[in-house]
Amino acid sequence: MSEHALTASAQRDREYALHPYVDPKVGPMPFVVTRGEGIRIWDEQGREFIDAMAGLWCASLGFSNERLALAAYKQMQELPFYHCFTGKTHMPLIDLSQRLIELAPAPMGKVLLANSGSEANDTAIKLIWYYNNALGRTQKKKIIGRHRGYHGITLAAASVTGQVVNHQGFDVPFERFLHVQAPDFYHNGLLGETEEQYADRCAKELEDLIAAEGADTIAAMFMEPITGGGGVLVPPRTYYDKIQAVLRRHDILVVADEVICGFGRTGSYWGCQTMGITPDILTCAKALSAGFQPISAILISQKLADGIAEGTHAIGTFGHGYTYSGHPVPAAVALETLRIYDEMNLVEHTSRVGGYMQAELRRRFGEHPLVGNIRGVGLVAGLELVDDKALRKNFAPSMKVGAQMVALCEQQGLIVRGCPNDTIALSPPLIITEAEIDVVLNKFAIGLDQLTQRLR
Ligand code: PLP
């Protein structure tokens, strides 16, 4: 738990607000954030932090941007709301849909807009079921996710999510959802097994699951190109080739969840490009609007769009849509965000600065006795802290080593994130510079030294 005093606002927060990822009886204490600028935020006591998590992996342009503020203001003055039901539409929705199709890592047919990553994935699941119903494949409905994968917390998205904490107490996953192992070579690789062989074994596990369930019952598999919240897992190089070959063979759709990886995070525009995935459906959110406005998108292939159109024609209308699908204000902010990405040469910048961050992490912490494994590509990384490096053994969960490290970093004015297996994630705003990476890693090093002293 962080150690700052409970202010009056924090007390009111405790009284009135229910928070994600908090034990209301234990903590951590409310941390009242009041202001942001560049890669930094300030709390109500005036303490300054570099947010090396870009909030929740989303504030790609940091915590201040005049152009995005103006884009929202201008749109609110021109047309603050309109919907897209019954054929109504507006320019931000049209322009953003077109731009996303142009940017997509594989040919895509249509775009649907929503408000969050969870909604995007939930919608994707609905579209998959709707599509298979339209084709008369009424049994082909099961969805495969991966353990430790994260796809959000609405009911269907939480079902494909593979994290226990998002299932316990919520009566999910629903029946139609299956999970295969996390692509975690560090822990799941066998003694003497190469990454290639491990990838073969993952593909075999998938093939066996499909055989056991029946290919005609399985509709799609969801994958984050690089697993984010589950501990920054970068699958072995040939993993996706092998997994996709299995899925294609059984006519199972590939869904790429680009909610974290999309828009330069991994050093390519899309995680699919970094990892070699050709999706039938792509979902994105977060950096789509630099986190400044809630918005997400679902891109579907022409094949799906055609099937959905056929099904809809038979029913008479498409019975899906949110009041705020394609809301003009977030859509205008997203469009301006994408323009800024173009102007800042996003991919060149994130691959260069990300390459620097990855190299420095390995150079500075690779030999550290507490750091068992360093994973990541581009501007997303995870350092797994371990009790025994040779045995790849984690600390007892009751020691909360990850949470201790997060708190120690906070004392240094650095925000990082604790993920499963005491993996500490870094996912800084994409505007970060090499010099700022150095400052982040200096603070991280102090936190790690203090943790080492404490555990000794
Ligand atoms: N998918 C991924 C990969 C995510 O990391 C997240 C959120 O962190 C989501 C989906 C859910 O997005 P949201 O929190 O906007 O619903």
Side-chain angles (χ1 to χ4, degrees), residues 415-428:
I415 294 180
V416 293
R417 163 102 178 232
C419 296
N421 287 350
D422 299 319
T423 294
I424 308 299
L426 297 172
S427 173

Side-chain angles (χ1 to χ4, degrees), residues 118-140:
S118 300
E119 267 188 19
N121 287 324
D122 233 72
T123 302
I125 293 163
K126 286 185 73 182
L127 294 181
I128 291 162
W129 289 344
Y130 191 85
Y131 169 71
N132 277 345
N133 284 332
L135 296 188
R137 309 196 297 192
T138 52
Q139 296 307 308
K140 200 167 171 67

Side-chain angles (χ1 to χ4, degrees), residues 56-57 116-119 121 150-152 224 229 257 259-260 285-286:
L56 288 174
W57 330 71
S116 69
S118 300
E119 267 188 19
N121 287 324
Y150 187 77
H151 303 286
E224 298 166 78
D257 177 341
V259 170
I260 285 180
K286 295 193 190 274

Side-chain angles (χ1 to χ4, degrees), residues 110-169:
K110 286 270 195 287
V111 176
L112 233 92
L113 297 170
N115 307 288
S116 69
S118 300
E119 267 188 19
N121 287 324
D122 233 72
T123 302
I125 293 163
K126 286 185 73 182
L127 294 181
I128 291 162
W129 289 344
Y130 191 85
Y131 169 71
N132 277 345
N133 284 332
L135 296 188
R137 309 196 297 192
T138 52
Q139 296 307 308
K140 200 167 171 67
K141 297 291 170 57
K142 290 177 192 161
I143 307 281
I144 301 176
R146 295 182 298 201
H147 293 297
R148 289 172 69 182
Y150 187 77
H151 303 286
I153 41 64
T154 47
L155 288 167
S159 294
V160 69
T161 284
Q163 297 190 27
V164 178
V165 72
N166 305 115
H167 294 162
Q168 271 181 322

